[in-house]
Amino acid sequence: MLLIVGTVSLPAENLVHARPAMRAMVEASRAETGCLAYHYAEDVLVPGLIHVKELWTDQAALDAHFASAHLQAWRANWPALGLGNRDLQVYEVGVPRAT
């Protein structure tokens, strides 16, 4: 499995415009084959900081995600939303266990 975690940021005043685009991205991604989890969450202390968490079955599923039309549409929105400071990392993970 592949786990993607990290953050992106945008001006806090643009969050109202970003939420519909983020919702569309999350819903479309969750419907993809191989997507086990896909989440965006606003930081409670830093306005405009969005935490990202994705879990994919394998590289083929992630590659298909990267080629998807909804990802291209989401990326096309970034300049207007002021989205930047993208800091995402991919990790290979095993079977989850409770802590």
Side-chain angles (χ1 to χ4, degrees), residues 5-77:
V5 293
T7 58
V8 297
S9 62
L10 64 153
E13 62 271 14
N14 290 354
L15 281 169
V16 67
H17 304 293
R19 283 187 188 105
M22 288 191 292
R23 180 183 185 96
M25 180 61 184
V26 168
E27 289 175 346
S29 297
R30 287 179 179 176
E32 289 183 65
T33 300
C35 181
L36 302 173
Y38 203 97
H39 304 278
Y40 292 158
E42 293 177 43
D43 192 283
V44 297
L45 300 177
V46 182
L49 183 65
I50 306 298
H51 293 269
V52 177
K53 181 179 81 172
E54 306 174 26
L55 186 61
W56 298 91
T57 54
D58 54 31
Q59 188 63 51
L62 184 57
D63 290 343
H65 171 66
F66 288 150
S68 69
H70 58 270
L71 180 59
Q72 303 313 312
W74 167 231
R75 287 183 174 174
N77 282 317

